[in-house]
Amino acid sequence: MSSTAAGPWVLEHRLTIRTQTETRPGPRDATTGDRWAEHRSTGLALVACNCGWATGWVPPGDLPSFADLTRDHGGT
């Protein structure tokens, strides 16, 4: 019985972009008493890569350019 070995595991660069939001309980509905969450943007963003690199929460204008990101982390 022969087995075929798979190739080696490879850590790929995978970029993720997140925008930060704040959340709070909204006002209660006078009729039903239901309460919905309200959300708003903080105006900050974060880029992280599967390799462990991350920008931290910064204004979008302070994020690296797309050209820099693809040069350092590939086109993912």
Side-chain angles (χ1 to χ4, degrees), residues 12-18 45-51 53-56 58 60-76:
E12 294 180 350
H13 290 280
R14 297 221 184 251
L15 293 170
T16 303
I17 301 171
R18 300 268 186 219
L46 172 140
V47 177
C49 184
N50 194 40
C51 71
W53 175 88
T55 60
V58 298
D62 292 344
L63 292 173
S65 70
F66 182 73
D68 290 341
L69 289 171
T70 55
R71 181 192 69 232
D72 296 339
H73 300 279
T76 61

Side-chain angles (χ1 to χ4, degrees), residues 5-67:
W9 289 97
V10 177
L11 180 66
E12 294 180 350
H13 290 280
R14 297 221 184 251
L15 293 170
T16 303
I17 301 171
R18 300 268 186 219
T19 57
Q20 189 179 56
T21 58
E22 297 175 314
T23 304
R24 69 177 182 182
R28 291 201 182 274
D29 182 283
T31 307
T32 64
D34 291 341
R35 188 177 223 172
W36 297 93
E38 296 178 322
H39 306 280
R40 72 175 182 183
S41 174
T42 64
L44 300 177
L46 172 140
V47 177
C49 184
N50 194 40
C51 71
W53 175 88
T55 60
W57 294 107
V58 298
D62 292 344
L63 292 173
S65 70
F66 182 73

